[in-house]
DNA sequence: CCTCACGATGATAGCGCTATCATCGGTGGA
DNA sequence: TCCACCGATGATAGCGCTATCATCGTGAGG
């Protein structure tokens, strides 16, 4: 027979004319382990999944064989056979936005102990992109999804529901009682800033915001609402859909000062904008907060170290990621959550800049 | 014939007592599409993979059926059957380090057009973690890996080579002629900073560095080498393995000033440290660069906006990601690269702080 | 002693897809 | 006219794993 040496199998020495094994990857399979340990493949599978199902003796033999062969389970095969991928998808607007970094850390810390892997998808703040990502995720047969924000097209949500793929929203609280969400009220956070500004006696507030995602806009609404409630109905605002950055913060502040040089406080949509605004003030010699107060949002790590330190709204980003992931995993395991909506709150951290 | 109904090959609705179909996911499969389009599953597969293999007529029927059923291919099955996962793994020390954000963007932009997905693994600067991640990746049958840094245990590299899984190193240039790498010389970059300091006539330089990964240490060596070459053999350094951050930059600077208040320039291992150092100087009223000059590394977006703007080494992070991914994809397709090592260089961007 | 429940293990049959080869009408050169 | 040849399509057989059921002692209960 001409087909010798094709399958590189040394042990199985009977049947010299063994079938040619059409396609083999060359890596050790569960069958190889089983053969070496002289047990059935099922016993190997059980040993690896739940050792208590197997007697000590067989377990030891299997583990030895696994070690000897350097066996690594083929996850695609596991997924196909068990209809569980042990992958969860995470949709964030942008990983370059430091805000999500801690959320991702929380997610990772929660799911990694449970043996799950994470696939991150970036929407770059585009709803279309988000749609497409979620569709790809369905192809991967992921076990669940964490989505930033609560503004998901209803049909997409229903698509997941129909397929029984759990989905948890992060960062904001969903008004839909059926939706699972972990976060804090973006509206209330904006409101808190507005109230603070009123309390402190600032008279001519301004709002600078970039990357106008739904959460930013909700904070804006809350901000507006608080001012109106205090009878201070008007405020200046400069908005741009561009992605936020320190540089952009400087530009926005310049535009603001050009149009309204008499502002006495700016609420910046996030800390990057706030830092950029602060730098611009320094460059122009404008005293902060003496002449112009600055407030940020999220309380990124640098906010407390800036000079002056930046007053900002501290958000539980790590905790949101962790709890959302936790809720998702429980949902995957079919455990209903106690509450569908977990509010982790926020608090305004008062520092030197306002 | 007693064996009817074996392959469930009729309309799904007759035979109320159809066999129970042991485990079904409920989602449309390629067989469903084939049935609806009245073609064989293979034709569906071909239509989706390479439409030119199929006549216009069948193609249309298949596409119509796909649309009607909302068919989404099961990637686990594809992976298992074809031994190709269309996933590449990326190993970075930490996604919270903004340095890697742009590299990831470059990678994503390169691979997404080719239909690949990315799985990100974080080593958190631990070699053990890195090892384990790479092993998991093998389990996923990924098609290739991008690894940050060139300091990979030889046996891990060989493991990949044995399995024919391409691997490309990023951010530094490998001395090993067989290894593929895209980046710049970390040593040379450190050297450039050292030379600049000498040229500018600074006399008492210091080095502040955190998170002492191999690349940081190579920059340090280059820095040292440049100073020695200029006969200025000694410099003060404060090193810590802690993860770098703006806050840490301030702390390190405080420690430096406590021990060596007469330093005239600090080279910070990265821009976060530099920014923290700058803030600390502002807090203490130390003129920068008048009394103390500050240099950073990487030229993160904020560096040019700080006041004073921060002199830093600009590194082609996006381009490194893009090119490394490109090289990896070609390698996956079996195309040998022209050069195994691509040096994308760096340049020192001189600003106000030094 | 025999049944029966039960825990440990094995045998069997897919999961949904694609590699591979077989089949089947044309085509064109000998 | 015949046949090697080719392009389009289908049939078959896995990829490596696990769900499910069968089997086989074993010890409790009758």
């Amino acid at each position: 027979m001409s087909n010798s040496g094709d399958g590189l199998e040394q042990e199985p020495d009977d049947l010299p004319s063994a079938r040619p094994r059409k396609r083999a990857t060359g890596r050790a399979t569960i069958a190889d382990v089983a053969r070496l340990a002289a047990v059935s493949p099922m016993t190997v599978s059980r040993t690896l999944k739940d050792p208590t199902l197997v007697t000590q003796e067989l377990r030891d033999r299997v583990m030895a064989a696994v070690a000897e062969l350097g066996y690594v389970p083929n996850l695609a095969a596991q997924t196909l056979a068990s209809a569980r991928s042990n992958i969860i998808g995470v949709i964030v607007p942008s990983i370059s936005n430091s805000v999500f970094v801690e959320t991702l850390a929380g997610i990772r810390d929660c799911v990694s102990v449970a043996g799950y892997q994470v696939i991150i998808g970036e929407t770059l703040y585009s709803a279309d992109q988000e749609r497409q990502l979620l569709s790809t995720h369905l192809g991967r047969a992921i076990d669940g999804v964490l989505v930033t924000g609560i503004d998901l097209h209803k049909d997409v949500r229903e698509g997941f529901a129909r397929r029984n793929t759990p989905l948890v929203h992060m960062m904001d609280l969903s008004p839909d009682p059926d939706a699972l969400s972990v976060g804090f009220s973006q509206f209330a956070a904006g409101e808190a800033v507005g109230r603070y500004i009123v309390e402190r006696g600032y008279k001519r507030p301004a709002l600078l915001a970039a990357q106008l995602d739904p959460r930013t806009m909700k904070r804006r609404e809350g901000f507006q609402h608080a001012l109106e409630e205090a009878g201070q109905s008007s405020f200046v605002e400069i908005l741009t859909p561009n992605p936020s950055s320190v540089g952009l913060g400087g530009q926005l502040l310049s535009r603001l000062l050009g149009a309204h040089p008499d502002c006495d406080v700016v609420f910046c949509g996030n800390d990057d904008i706030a830092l950029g605004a602060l730098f611009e003030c320094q460059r122009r010699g404008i005293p902060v907060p003496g002449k112009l107060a600055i407030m940020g949002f999220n309380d990124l790590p640098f906010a407390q170290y800036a000079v002056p330190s930046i007053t900002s709204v501290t958000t539980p980003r790590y905790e949101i990621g962790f709890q959302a992931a936790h809720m998702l995993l429980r949902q995957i395991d079919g455990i209903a959550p106690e509450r569908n909506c977990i509010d982790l709150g926020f608090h305004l951290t008062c520092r030197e800049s306002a």
Side-chain angles (χ1 to χ4, degrees), chain A:
Chain A
M1 310 329 276
S2 58
N3 69 343
S4 71
D6 187 314
L8 63 129
E9 54 236 359
Q10 55 282 56
E11 271 304 315
D13 43 50
D14 45 340
L15 288 200
S17 68
R19 56 154 26 134
R21 290 193 85 193
K22 273 208 205 126
R23 306 166 274 157
T25 47
R27 294 173 40 186
T29 72
I30 209 169
D32 298 327
V33 175
R35 214 173 302 131
L36 183 58
V39 297
S40 76
M42 268 322 295
T43 300
V44 177
S45 177
R46 288 195 186 100
T47 307
L48 265 26
K49 280 278 183 279
D50 183 355
T52 66
L53 294 173
V54 178
T55 54
Q56 182 72 48
E57 193 204 332
L58 293 198
R59 210 188 302 168
D60 291 345
R61 286 202 335 242
V62 168
M63 294 317 286
V66 165
E68 181 171 340
L69 295 175
Y71 168 72
V72 180
N74 180 321
L75 298 199
Q78 287 186 175
T79 301
L80 187 58
S82 67
R84 260 171 145 260
S85 62
N86 272 43
I87 293 185
I88 71 167
V90 178
I91 309 280
V92 297
S94 160
I95 51 170
S96 55
N97 189 329
S98 336
V99 168
F100 300 111
V101 168
E102 289 170 51
T103 307
L104 287 172
I107 294 168
R108 192 195 49 220
D109 288 354
C110 180
V111 305
S112 63
V113 299
Y116 282 80
Q117 279 221 349
V118 171
I119 286 198
I120 300 171
E122 283 185 270
T123 67
L124 304 177
Y125 296 95
S126 137
D128 261 4
Q129 183 81 10
E130 178 174 75
R131 242 194 148 72
Q132 199 183 324
L133 271 173
L134 288 167
S135 156
T136 315
H137 277 162
L138 282 179
R140 292 244 171 252
I142 52 163
D143 294 340
V145 212
L146 296 171
V147 184
T148 304
I150 56 173
D151 308 270
L152 201 57
H153 274 295
K154 193 155 188 84
D155 54 343
V156 176
R157 259 249 311 292
E158 280 167 359
F160 277 84
R162 212 174 314 122
R163 289 174 164 86
N164 244 323
T165 302
L167 186 156
V168 175
H169 300 275
M170 302 182 292
M171 306 307 282
D172 201 350
L173 306 175
S174 178
D176 179 344
D178 293 332
L180 302 178
S181 57
V182 178
F184 59 91
S185 165
Q186 300 281 341
F187 184 91
E191 230 176 12
V193 173
R195 294 215 180 97
Y196 180 83
I197 282 176
V198 171
E199 273 171 30
R200 286 294 182 114
Y202 293 111
K203 293 302 177 203
R204 289 172 303 282
L207 175 75
L208 300 185
Q211 177 185 280
L212 307 169
D213 59 274
R215 290 168 296 294
T216 301
M217 295 316 281
K218 276 175 209 149
R219 295 200 288 271
R220 179 189 164 285
E221 282 168 32
F223 180 70
Q224 180 167 29
H225 180 252
L227 294 184
E228 282 171 357
E229 216 173 43
Q232 194 168 342
S233 61
S234 81
F235 64 98
V236 178
E237 62 184 345
I238 300 200
L239 308 177
T240 165
N242 295 346
S244 95
S245 68
V246 173
L248 187 60
Q251 287 174 33
L252 293 180
L253 188 78
S254 295
R255 281 172 52 192
L256 175 69
L257 293 179
H260 307 274
D262 58 340
C263 282
D264 56 359
V265 59
V266 279
F267 171 32
C268 300
N270 63 48
D271 285 349
D272 284 328
I273 302 283
L275 183 62
L278 174 58
F279 283 152
E280 186 63 28
C281 287
Q282 291 181 348
R283 184 145 275 136
R284 291 166 179 249
I286 298 173
V288 176
K291 175 78 169 56
L292 180 66
I294 293 178
M295 297 184 70
F297 196 90
N298 273 323
D299 193 12
L300 294 187
F302 62 76
Q304 63 178 302
Y305 299 107
V307 181
S309 56
I310 298 173
T311 294
S312 191
V313 175
T314 307
T315 54
R317 301 184 294 281
Y318 178 92
E319 195 63 18
I320 288 174
F322 195 96
Q323 298 256 3
H326 187 73
M327 185 185 257
L328 184 68
L329 294 189
R330 290 177 61 93
Q331 194 73 10
I332 289 172
D333 289 339
I335 305 169
E338 290 177 25
R339 290 158 299 155
N340 279 359
C341 179
I342 299 182
D343 185 354
L344 293 175
F346 59 86
H347 63 93
L348 204 153
T349 300
C350 177
R351 299 208 181 90
E352 298 162 354
S353 74

